[in-house]
Amino acid sequence: MKLASGRTTRGDELGLKRALSGLMLPALVGAMAFLAALSLAGWEGSSSLARSWRDGARAALTVQVPRPNEAALGGNRLNVAVSLLSVAPGVASVHPLTEAEVAKLLRPWIGGDGGPVTIPLPAVIAVRLTGDDIDTEPLRRQLADAVPGIAMEDHGQWVRRLSDLAWSLQACSLLAVALVSAVAVAVIAVATRAGLMARREAIEILHGLGATDSFIAGRFARRATVLALAGGLVGTVLVLPVVSVLSGLIAPFTGTATTEATTVGSALATVPVSLWADMAALPAGAALIGFLTAQGTVRRWLRRLP
Amino acid sequence: MVRFESVGLRYGRTGGRDAAPEVLRNISFALPEGAFRWLLGPSGAGKTSLLRLMYLAALPTSGRLTLLGNDIGRTPRRALPRLRRRIGVVFQDFRLLPHLTAFENVALPLRLAGRPEAQVRADVTELLHWVGLAGKLSTLPDELSGGEQQRVAIARAVIARPNLLLADEPTGNLDAAQADRLMMLLNELNRLGTTVIVATHNESLVARYPNSELRLDRGRLVHEP
């Protein structure tokens, strides 16, 4: 109710607008939301990278043919290997790398100015399989019989290692979100307890007038929810540029963009939809933590009153 | 209405070798509906503790207390708020909420009881008119005189038409004229059926408004009608 003087405190019988600071709690919750958003960005980034790596490495083989130009039964060793691979079941494509391609791959290790490599190199055949569940062992034996000394590398072990790495990164991100949430709970609980101490007398008066625990806890919870929501919104808005920049940097590696993002718009466009959804949920999550923490803290404290 | 049967009260630890001392011991009396009692005794006799039991700010540590037909020892905690709403209390220090206006302080019991806002507005405005505070509806307690604060406290105590009205040294901060006006109000409420218990040191007030007495001394009831 608004009275003639303009004073109105309807719904704030406990004076919580003053007791529960409108600056400190949102600032702390905002910082927590900021950190949580970064952790979620880490989760999304590691997921995208792992997916990209897996997609690149999945269902692929690399075959090395030493002394490729030496004769073998049916042609030179390279041609024999390519022929065998081309007709093998489960093989989708066979691509013998040119000398220039091999030299390009090796340049970081052996240097050079793009001219021909003078040391003897094996031929390399990139093989794409039709699926990632194909048993390559028979093919390995067949190649070894026909072209002795041939080496075939299955990329499965790299996929497994990348998966382990991705899971580790994602677990760290989840742990960080859990820790940040726990700190947010602690911060809100401490603020609520401070509010309880500051409004102890008012609470006792209301309790004596017949206020239920639900009523009193509800007033605290409402205030904590509003403050936590505000903090969550501020933290999420502030983290947006950082997340956009990170997404822009990681985009070329995940295949979501071919080059680094150079404008705000292009950086925002690289933020994955799932990360947008995570960040949209952050303020709601902060509000929920505020509500539940305040309810629990106040109800536990009220049990000391008869 | 109110029945004490061998009621005892301790604050703090209630059992064991280091149990807190009993502030009330073996209190037994009964008050019928519509009674008026003075609660008398020297400082530290236990008057405030007895009132605290009656407005459910404390629970007996021994004996049996029956209030408004409810055996308090058997009443679940969740049912006590509803019972408290049937009890009005006037404190010596008023206990008004300083951030609420006079109107909102008086409106609290009705709002807690879930009364419609239109009824709250009408009842509170009428009662504040009746106690002479028609122009102070939106005034904060700190901006009111002691007597005005006392009237707000009384209005808050009676707005929900309680069955039991308790007053703890209600005239302690009032001059003689204000005290007389308060007593007339309490007598009027009593005449309308409210059970009234007033704890006081003020013997002259008791003499001017003779009524039955409960007298406490060192935690024991030494006189009852």
PDB file of all heavy atoms in Angstrom, chain B residues 182-215:
ATOM      1  N   LEU B 182      -4.990   4.463  28.632  1.00  0.00           N
ATOM      2  CA  LEU B 182      -4.700   3.079  28.246  1.00  0.00           C
ATOM      3  C   LEU B 182      -5.555   2.113  29.070  1.00  0.00           C
ATOM      4  O   LEU B 182      -6.127   1.149  28.518  1.00  0.00           O
ATOM      5  CB  LEU B 182      -3.212   2.781  28.469  1.00  0.00           C
ATOM      6  CG  LEU B 182      -2.816   1.312  28.343  1.00  0.00           C
ATOM      7  CD1 LEU B 182      -3.069   0.801  26.912  1.00  0.00           C
ATOM      8  CD2 LEU B 182      -1.344   1.096  28.694  1.00  0.00           C
ATOM      9  N   MET B 183      -5.653   2.371  30.365  1.00  0.00           N
ATOM     10  CA  MET B 183      -6.431   1.462  31.209  1.00  0.00           C
ATOM     11  C   MET B 183      -7.900   1.449  30.807  1.00  0.00           C
ATOM     12  O   MET B 183      -8.557   0.403  30.838  1.00  0.00           O
ATOM     13  CB  MET B 183      -6.291   1.858  32.685  1.00  0.00           C
ATOM     14  CG  MET B 183      -4.961   1.478  33.297  1.00  0.00           C
ATOM     15  SD  MET B 183      -4.487  -0.228  32.945  1.00  0.00           S
ATOM     16  CE  MET B 183      -5.875  -1.128  33.600  1.00  0.00           C
ATOM     17  N   MET B 184      -8.408   2.611  30.439  1.00  0.00           N
ATOM     18  CA  MET B 184      -9.805   2.655  30.006  1.00  0.00           C
ATOM     19  C   MET B 184      -9.988   1.797  28.735  1.00  0.00           C
ATOM     20  O   MET B 184     -10.973   1.089  28.592  1.00  0.00           O
ATOM     21  CB  MET B 184     -10.242   4.092  29.754  1.00  0.00           C
ATOM     22  CG  MET B 184     -10.537   4.835  31.060  1.00  0.00           C
ATOM     23  SD  MET B 184     -11.325   6.409  30.809  1.00  0.00           S
ATOM     24  CE  MET B 184      -9.974   7.425  30.316  1.00  0.00           C
ATOM     25  N   LEU B 185      -8.985   1.870  27.860  1.00  0.00           N
ATOM     26  CA  LEU B 185      -9.052   1.078  26.621  1.00  0.00           C
ATOM     27  C   LEU B 185      -9.011  -0.417  26.945  1.00  0.00           C
ATOM     28  O   LEU B 185      -9.809  -1.206  26.412  1.00  0.00           O
ATOM     29  CB  LEU B 185      -7.879   1.456  25.712  1.00  0.00           C
ATOM     30  CG  LEU B 185      -7.705   0.617  24.452  1.00  0.00           C
ATOM     31  CD1 LEU B 185      -8.916   0.750  23.535  1.00  0.00           C
ATOM     32  CD2 LEU B 185      -6.439   1.009  23.707  1.00  0.00           C
ATOM     33  N   LEU B 186      -8.113  -0.800  27.855  1.00  0.00           N
ATOM     34  CA  LEU B 186      -8.004  -2.221  28.211  1.00  0.00           C
ATOM     35  C   LEU B 186      -9.296  -2.716  28.869  1.00  0.00           C
ATOM     36  O   LEU B 186      -9.760  -3.834  28.595  1.00  0.00           O
ATOM     37  CB  LEU B 186      -6.804  -2.458  29.144  1.00  0.00           C
ATOM     38  CG  LEU B 186      -5.413  -2.197  28.534  1.00  0.00           C
ATOM     39  CD1 LEU B 186      -4.313  -2.443  29.567  1.00  0.00           C
ATOM     40  CD2 LEU B 186      -5.177  -3.076  27.308  1.00  0.00           C
ATOM     41  N   ASN B 187      -9.859  -1.878  29.738  1.00  0.00           N
ATOM     42  CA  ASN B 187     -11.123  -2.254  30.388  1.00  0.00           C
ATOM     43  C   ASN B 187     -12.246  -2.404  29.372  1.00  0.00           C
ATOM     44  O   ASN B 187     -13.080  -3.306  29.486  1.00  0.00           O
ATOM     45  CB  ASN B 187     -11.500  -1.212  31.449  1.00  0.00           C
ATOM     46  CG  ASN B 187     -10.787  -1.479  32.765  1.00  0.00           C
ATOM     47  OD1 ASN B 187     -10.612  -2.647  33.152  1.00  0.00           O
ATOM     48  ND2 ASN B 187     -10.361  -0.427  33.440  1.00  0.00           N
ATOM     49  N   GLU B 188     -12.232  -1.526  28.375  1.00  0.00           N
ATOM     50  CA  GLU B 188     -13.273  -1.587  27.349  1.00  0.00           C
ATOM     51  C   GLU B 188     -13.154  -2.889  26.546  1.00  0.00           C
ATOM     52  O   GLU B 188     -14.147  -3.577  26.264  1.00  0.00           O
ATOM     53  CB  GLU B 188     -13.139  -0.370  26.420  1.00  0.00           C
ATOM     54  CG  GLU B 188     -14.095  -0.336  25.252  1.00  0.00           C
ATOM     55  CD  GLU B 188     -15.571  -0.197  25.663  1.00  0.00           C
ATOM     56  OE1 GLU B 188     -15.828   0.071  26.864  1.00  0.00           O
ATOM     57  OE2 GLU B 188     -16.439  -0.394  24.797  1.00  0.00           O
ATOM     58  N   LEU B 189     -11.902  -3.240  26.196  1.00  0.00           N
ATOM     59  CA  LEU B 189     -11.689  -4.492  25.460  1.00  0.00           C
ATOM     60  C   LEU B 189     -12.109  -5.688  26.297  1.00  0.00           C
ATOM     61  O   LEU B 189     -12.708  -6.643  25.800  1.00  0.00           O
ATOM     62  CB  LEU B 189     -10.206  -4.623  25.074  1.00  0.00           C
ATOM     63  CG  LEU B 189      -9.735  -3.651  23.983  1.00  0.00           C
ATOM     64  CD1 LEU B 189      -8.209  -3.634  23.902  1.00  0.00           C
ATOM     65  CD2 LEU B 189     -10.307  -4.056  22.634  1.00  0.00           C
ATOM     66  N   ASN B 190     -11.810  -5.602  27.588  1.00  0.00           N
ATOM     67  CA  ASN B 190     -12.190  -6.686  28.504  1.00  0.00           C
ATOM     68  C   ASN B 190     -13.708  -6.803  28.584  1.00  0.00           C
ATOM     69  O   ASN B 190     -14.272  -7.898  28.592  1.00  0.00           O
ATOM     70  CB  ASN B 190     -11.561  -6.424  29.864  1.00  0.00           C
ATOM     71  CG  ASN B 190     -11.922  -7.501  30.879  1.00  0.00           C
ATOM     72  OD1 ASN B 190     -12.485  -7.233  31.924  1.00  0.00           O
ATOM     73  ND2 ASN B 190     -11.601  -8.746  30.562  1.00  0.00           N
ATOM     74  N   ARG B 191     -14.352  -5.653  28.607  1.00  0.00           N
ATOM     75  CA  ARG B 191     -15.816  -5.649  28.678  1.00  0.00           C
ATOM     76  C   ARG B 191     -16.413  -6.302  27.427  1.00  0.00           C
ATOM     77  O   ARG B 191     -17.468  -6.936  27.480  1.00  0.00           O
ATOM     78  CB  ARG B 191     -16.307  -4.199  28.814  1.00  0.00           C
ATOM     79  CG  ARG B 191     -17.764  -4.041  29.256  1.00  0.00           C
ATOM     80  CD  ARG B 191     -18.171  -2.585  29.303  1.00  0.00           C
ATOM     81  NE  ARG B 191     -18.081  -1.925  28.004  1.00  0.00           N
ATOM     82  CZ  ARG B 191     -18.960  -2.081  27.015  1.00  0.00           C
ATOM     83  NH1 ARG B 191     -19.994  -2.863  27.169  1.00  0.00           N
ATOM     84  NH2 ARG B 191     -18.797  -1.445  25.859  1.00  0.00           N
ATOM     85  N   LEU B 192     -15.681  -6.178  26.295  1.00  0.00           N
ATOM     86  CA  LEU B 192     -16.153  -6.768  25.038  1.00  0.00           C
ATOM     87  C   LEU B 192     -15.824  -8.261  24.930  1.00  0.00           C
ATOM     88  O   LEU B 192     -16.087  -8.895  23.924  1.00  0.00           O
ATOM     89  CB  LEU B 192     -15.546  -6.022  23.846  1.00  0.00           C
ATOM     90  CG  LEU B 192     -16.015  -4.567  23.676  1.00  0.00           C
ATOM     91  CD1 LEU B 192     -15.198  -3.853  22.601  1.00  0.00           C
ATOM     92  CD2 LEU B 192     -17.499  -4.516  23.309  1.00  0.00           C
ATOM     93  N   GLY B 193     -15.160  -8.816  25.978  1.00  0.00           N
ATOM     94  CA  GLY B 193     -14.949 -10.263  26.004  1.00  0.00           C
ATOM     95  C   GLY B 193     -13.513 -10.726  25.925  1.00  0.00           C
ATOM     96  O   GLY B 193     -13.229 -11.927  26.015  1.00  0.00           O
ATOM     97  N   THR B 194     -12.584  -9.810  25.742  1.00  0.00           N
ATOM     98  CA  THR B 194     -11.181 -10.201  25.649  1.00  0.00           C
ATOM     99  C   THR B 194     -10.616 -10.477  27.045  1.00  0.00           C
ATOM    100  O   THR B 194     -10.831  -9.690  27.968  1.00  0.00           O
ATOM    101  CB  THR B 194     -10.351  -9.080  24.978  1.00  0.00           C
ATOM    102  OG1 THR B 194     -10.922  -8.798  23.714  1.00  0.00           O
ATOM    103  CG2 THR B 194      -8.903  -9.485  24.828  1.00  0.00           C
ATOM    104  N   THR B 195      -9.910 -11.571  27.190  1.00  0.00           N
ATOM    105  CA  THR B 195      -9.217 -11.854  28.448  1.00  0.00           C
ATOM    106  C   THR B 195      -7.959 -10.993  28.498  1.00  0.00           C
ATOM    107  O   THR B 195      -7.185 -10.970  27.539  1.00  0.00           O
ATOM    108  CB  THR B 195      -8.833 -13.349  28.515  1.00  0.00           C
ATOM    109  OG1 THR B 195     -10.020 -14.128  28.380  1.00  0.00           O
ATOM    110  CG2 THR B 195      -8.141 -13.681  29.819  1.00  0.00           C
ATOM    111  N   VAL B 196      -7.773 -10.264  29.597  1.00  0.00           N
ATOM    112  CA  VAL B 196      -6.676  -9.296  29.676  1.00  0.00           C
ATOM    113  C   VAL B 196      -5.800  -9.608  30.884  1.00  0.00           C
ATOM    114  O   VAL B 196      -6.305  -9.830  31.994  1.00  0.00           O
ATOM    115  CB  VAL B 196      -7.212  -7.851  29.773  1.00  0.00           C
ATOM    116  CG1 VAL B 196      -6.066  -6.852  29.888  1.00  0.00           C
ATOM    117  CG2 VAL B 196      -8.091  -7.520  28.563  1.00  0.00           C
ATOM    118  N   ILE B 197      -4.513  -9.629  30.675  1.00  0.00           N
ATOM    119  CA  ILE B 197      -3.557  -9.795  31.772  1.00  0.00           C
ATOM    120  C   ILE B 197      -2.532  -8.676  31.650  1.00  0.00           C
ATOM    121  O   ILE B 197      -1.905  -8.510  30.597  1.00  0.00           O
ATOM    122  CB  ILE B 197      -2.855 -11.165  31.716  1.00  0.00           C
ATOM    123  CG1 ILE B 197      -3.895 -12.285  31.770  1.00  0.00           C
ATOM    124  CG2 ILE B 197      -1.851 -11.300  32.844  1.00  0.00           C
ATOM    125  CD1 ILE B 197      -3.330 -13.666  31.544  1.00  0.00           C
ATOM    126  N   VAL B 198      -2.373  -7.905  32.733  1.00  0.00           N
ATOM    127  CA  VAL B 198      -1.465  -6.768  32.693  1.00  0.00           C
ATOM    128  C   VAL B 198      -0.403  -6.932  33.768  1.00  0.00           C
ATOM    129  O   VAL B 198      -0.724  -7.003  34.961  1.00  0.00           O
ATOM    130  CB  VAL B 198      -2.228  -5.438  32.914  1.00  0.00           C
ATOM    131  CG1 VAL B 198      -1.266  -4.256  32.853  1.00  0.00           C
ATOM    132  CG2 VAL B 198      -3.330  -5.277  31.883  1.00  0.00           C
ATOM    133  N   ALA B 199       0.850  -7.027  33.350  1.00  0.00           N
ATOM    134  CA  ALA B 199       1.951  -7.084  34.317  1.00  0.00           C
ATOM    135  C   ALA B 199       2.400  -5.668  34.610  1.00  0.00           C
ATOM    136  O   ALA B 199       2.612  -4.876  33.680  1.00  0.00           O
ATOM    137  CB  ALA B 199       3.114  -7.891  33.734  1.00  0.00           C
ATOM    138  N   THR B 200       2.527  -5.328  35.891  1.00  0.00           N
ATOM    139  CA  THR B 200       2.936  -3.962  36.232  1.00  0.00           C
ATOM    140  C   THR B 200       3.586  -3.907  37.617  1.00  0.00           C
ATOM    141  O   THR B 200       3.390  -4.775  38.467  1.00  0.00           O
ATOM    142  CB  THR B 200       1.728  -3.010  36.193  1.00  0.00           C
ATOM    143  OG1 THR B 200       2.170  -1.677  36.391  1.00  0.00           O
ATOM    144  CG2 THR B 200       0.701  -3.354  37.245  1.00  0.00           C
ATOM    145  N   HIS B 201       4.397  -2.838  37.772  1.00  0.00           N
ATOM    146  CA  HIS B 201       4.935  -2.475  39.092  1.00  0.00           C
ATOM    147  C   HIS B 201       4.090  -1.377  39.715  1.00  0.00           C
ATOM    148  O   HIS B 201       4.269  -1.033  40.872  1.00  0.00           O
ATOM    149  CB  HIS B 201       6.344  -1.864  38.917  1.00  0.00           C
ATOM    150  CG  HIS B 201       7.410  -2.875  38.767  1.00  0.00           C
ATOM    151  ND1 HIS B 201       8.076  -3.074  37.593  1.00  0.00           N
ATOM    152  CD2 HIS B 201       7.951  -3.742  39.663  1.00  0.00           C
ATOM    153  CE1 HIS B 201       8.994  -4.021  37.765  1.00  0.00           C
ATOM    154  NE2 HIS B 201       8.926  -4.436  39.013  1.00  0.00           N
ATOM    155  N   ASN B 202       3.245  -0.808  38.916  1.00  0.00           N
ATOM    156  CA  ASN B 202       2.565   0.433  39.293  1.00  0.00           C
ATOM    157  C   ASN B 202       1.396   0.139  40.231  1.00  0.00           C
ATOM    158  O   ASN B 202       0.261  -0.074  39.813  1.00  0.00           O
ATOM    159  CB  ASN B 202       2.083   1.113  37.994  1.00  0.00           C
ATOM    160  CG  ASN B 202       1.615   2.525  38.228  1.00  0.00           C
ATOM    161  OD1 ASN B 202       1.196   2.878  39.334  1.00  0.00           O
ATOM    162  ND2 ASN B 202       1.669   3.335  37.177  1.00  0.00           N
ATOM    163  N   GLU B 203       1.682   0.192  41.536  1.00  0.00           N
ATOM    164  CA  GLU B 203       0.657  -0.160  42.534  1.00  0.00           C
ATOM    165  C   GLU B 203      -0.475   0.861  42.553  1.00  0.00           C
ATOM    166  O   GLU B 203      -1.630   0.514  42.812  1.00  0.00           O
ATOM    167  CB  GLU B 203       1.295  -0.257  43.924  1.00  0.00           C
ATOM    168  CG  GLU B 203       2.321  -1.376  44.080  1.00  0.00           C
ATOM    169  CD  GLU B 203       1.691  -2.774  44.156  1.00  0.00           C
ATOM    170  OE1 GLU B 203       0.459  -2.866  44.252  1.00  0.00           O
ATOM    171  OE2 GLU B 203       2.458  -3.756  44.093  1.00  0.00           O
ATOM    172  N   SER B 204      -0.152   2.128  42.269  1.00  0.00           N
ATOM    173  CA  SER B 204      -1.211   3.141  42.297  1.00  0.00           C
ATOM    174  C   SER B 204      -2.201   2.905  41.158  1.00  0.00           C
ATOM    175  O   SER B 204      -3.413   3.121  41.321  1.00  0.00           O
ATOM    176  CB  SER B 204      -0.615   4.541  42.201  1.00  0.00           C
ATOM    177  OG  SER B 204      -0.066   4.734  40.922  1.00  0.00           O
ATOM    178  N   LEU B 205      -1.679   2.446  40.048  1.00  0.00           N
ATOM    179  CA  LEU B 205      -2.565   2.116  38.912  1.00  0.00           C
ATOM    180  C   LEU B 205      -3.484   0.958  39.299  1.00  0.00           C
ATOM    181  O   LEU B 205      -4.697   0.988  39.036  1.00  0.00           O
ATOM    182  CB  LEU B 205      -1.709   1.730  37.691  1.00  0.00           C
ATOM    183  CG  LEU B 205      -2.435   1.596  36.372  1.00  0.00           C
ATOM    184  CD1 LEU B 205      -2.833   2.963  35.817  1.00  0.00           C
ATOM    185  CD2 LEU B 205      -1.551   0.874  35.347  1.00  0.00           C
ATOM    186  N   VAL B 206      -2.907  -0.029  39.959  1.00  0.00           N
ATOM    187  CA  VAL B 206      -3.697  -1.189  40.404  1.00  0.00           C
ATOM    188  C   VAL B 206      -4.786  -0.736  41.376  1.00  0.00           C
ATOM    189  O   VAL B 206      -5.932  -1.204  41.318  1.00  0.00           O
ATOM    190  CB  VAL B 206      -2.781  -2.248  41.049  1.00  0.00           C
ATOM    191  CG1 VAL B 206      -3.597  -3.401  41.609  1.00  0.00           C
ATOM    192  CG2 VAL B 206      -1.747  -2.756  40.054  1.00  0.00           C
ATOM    193  N   ALA B 207      -4.417   0.222  42.231  1.00  0.00           N
ATOM    194  CA  ALA B 207      -5.386   0.706  43.217  1.00  0.00           C
ATOM    195  C   ALA B 207      -6.527   1.450  42.524  1.00  0.00           C
ATOM    196  O   ALA B 207      -7.679   1.371  42.957  1.00  0.00           O
ATOM    197  CB  ALA B 207      -4.673   1.615  44.225  1.00  0.00           C
ATOM    198  N   ARG B 208      -6.189   2.172  41.453  1.00  0.00           N
ATOM    199  CA  ARG B 208      -7.234   2.948  40.772  1.00  0.00           C
ATOM    200  C   ARG B 208      -8.158   2.062  39.943  1.00  0.00           C
ATOM    201  O   ARG B 208      -9.290   2.427  39.689  1.00  0.00           O
ATOM    202  CB  ARG B 208      -6.588   3.999  39.862  1.00  0.00           C
ATOM    203  CG  ARG B 208      -6.007   5.186  40.602  1.00  0.00           C
ATOM    204  CD  ARG B 208      -5.946   6.427  39.725  1.00  0.00           C
ATOM    205  NE  ARG B 208      -5.203   6.237  38.497  1.00  0.00           N
ATOM    206  CZ  ARG B 208      -3.873   6.242  38.416  1.00  0.00           C
ATOM    207  NH1 ARG B 208      -3.140   6.405  39.508  1.00  0.00           N
ATOM    208  NH2 ARG B 208      -3.277   6.081  37.254  1.00  0.00           N
ATOM    209  N   TYR B 209      -7.634   0.919  39.510  1.00  0.00           N
ATOM    210  CA  TYR B 209      -8.443   0.012  38.690  1.00  0.00           C
ATOM    211  C   TYR B 209      -8.447  -1.364  39.339  1.00  0.00           C
ATOM    212  O   TYR B 209      -7.761  -2.287  38.883  1.00  0.00           O
ATOM    213  CB  TYR B 209      -7.892  -0.058  37.258  1.00  0.00           C
ATOM    214  CG  TYR B 209      -7.952   1.266  36.538  1.00  0.00           C
ATOM    215  CD1 TYR B 209      -6.870   2.140  36.572  1.00  0.00           C
ATOM    216  CD2 TYR B 209      -9.098   1.648  35.844  1.00  0.00           C
ATOM    217  CE1 TYR B 209      -6.922   3.358  35.936  1.00  0.00           C
ATOM    218  CE2 TYR B 209      -9.145   2.867  35.195  1.00  0.00           C
ATOM    219  CZ  TYR B 209      -8.068   3.723  35.246  1.00  0.00           C
ATOM    220  OH  TYR B 209      -8.128   4.944  34.614  1.00  0.00           O
ATOM    221  N   PRO B 210      -9.155  -1.518  40.428  1.00  0.00           N
ATOM    222  CA  PRO B 210      -9.094  -2.776  41.180  1.00  0.00           C
ATOM    223  C   PRO B 210      -9.615  -3.959  40.357  1.00  0.00           C
ATOM    224  O   PRO B 210     -10.643  -3.868  39.718  1.00  0.00           O
ATOM    225  CB  PRO B 210      -9.980  -2.505  42.396  1.00  0.00           C
ATOM    226  CG  PRO B 210     -10.816  -1.328  42.057  1.00  0.00           C
ATOM    227  CD  PRO B 210     -10.102  -0.543  41.015  1.00  0.00           C
ATOM    228  N   ASN B 211      -8.829  -5.014  40.384  1.00  0.00           N
ATOM    229  CA  ASN B 211      -9.184  -6.263  39.700  1.00  0.00           C
ATOM    230  C   ASN B 211      -8.460  -7.406  40.398  1.00  0.00           C
ATOM    231  O   ASN B 211      -7.599  -7.181  41.249  1.00  0.00           O
ATOM    232  CB  ASN B 211      -8.751  -6.218  38.229  1.00  0.00           C
ATOM    233  CG  ASN B 211      -9.907  -5.847  37.303  1.00  0.00           C
ATOM    234  OD1 ASN B 211     -10.947  -6.481  37.312  1.00  0.00           O
ATOM    235  ND2 ASN B 211      -9.722  -4.794  36.535  1.00  0.00           N
ATOM    236  N   SER B 212      -8.777  -8.623  40.026  1.00  0.00           N
ATOM    237  CA  SER B 212      -8.115  -9.781  40.638  1.00  0.00           C
ATOM    238  C   SER B 212      -6.624  -9.762  40.279  1.00  0.00           C
ATOM    239  O   SER B 212      -6.234  -9.222  39.247  1.00  0.00           O
ATOM    240  CB  SER B 212      -8.737 -11.077  40.119  1.00  0.00           C
ATOM    241  OG  SER B 212     -10.110 -11.094  40.441  1.00  0.00           O
ATOM    242  N   GLU B 213      -5.826 -10.373  41.153  1.00  0.00           N
ATOM    243  CA  GLU B 213      -4.371 -10.303  41.001  1.00  0.00           C
ATOM    244  C   GLU B 213      -3.748 -11.696  40.949  1.00  0.00           C
ATOM    245  O   GLU B 213      -4.218 -12.618  41.604  1.00  0.00           O
ATOM    246  CB  GLU B 213      -3.737  -9.555  42.189  1.00  0.00           C
ATOM    247  CG  GLU B 213      -4.211  -8.145  42.344  1.00  0.00           C
ATOM    248  CD  GLU B 213      -3.699  -7.520  43.645  1.00  0.00           C
ATOM    249  OE1 GLU B 213      -2.926  -8.201  44.366  1.00  0.00           O
ATOM    250  OE2 GLU B 213      -4.076  -6.371  43.930  1.00  0.00           O
ATOM    251  N   LEU B 214      -2.689 -11.785  40.166  1.00  0.00           N
ATOM    252  CA  LEU B 214      -1.769 -12.919  40.247  1.00  0.00           C
ATOM    253  C   LEU B 214      -0.462 -12.312  40.753  1.00  0.00           C
ATOM    254  O   LEU B 214       0.043 -11.358  40.168  1.00  0.00           O
ATOM    255  CB  LEU B 214      -1.532 -13.544  38.870  1.00  0.00           C
ATOM    256  CG  LEU B 214      -2.718 -14.222  38.178  1.00  0.00           C
ATOM    257  CD1 LEU B 214      -2.385 -14.479  36.702  1.00  0.00           C
ATOM    258  CD2 LEU B 214      -3.035 -15.545  38.867  1.00  0.00           C
ATOM    259  N   ARG B 215       0.063 -12.848  41.851  1.00  0.00           N
ATOM    260  CA  ARG B 215       1.274 -12.236  42.405  1.00  0.00           C
ATOM    261  C   ARG B 215       2.397 -13.274  42.416  1.00  0.00           C
ATOM    262  O   ARG B 215       2.220 -14.386  42.912  1.00  0.00           O
ATOM    263  CB  ARG B 215       1.007 -11.716  43.829  1.00  0.00           C
ATOM    264  CG  ARG B 215       2.087 -10.790  44.358  1.00  0.00           C
ATOM    265  CD  ARG B 215       1.680 -10.184  45.696  1.00  0.00           C
ATOM    266  NE  ARG B 215       0.646  -9.178  45.572  1.00  0.00           N
ATOM    267  CZ  ARG B 215       0.883  -7.877  45.334  1.00  0.00           C
ATOM    268  NH1 ARG B 215       2.118  -7.457  45.179  1.00  0.00           N
ATOM    269  NH2 ARG B 215      -0.107  -7.022  45.257  1.00  0.00           N
TER     270      ARG B 215
END
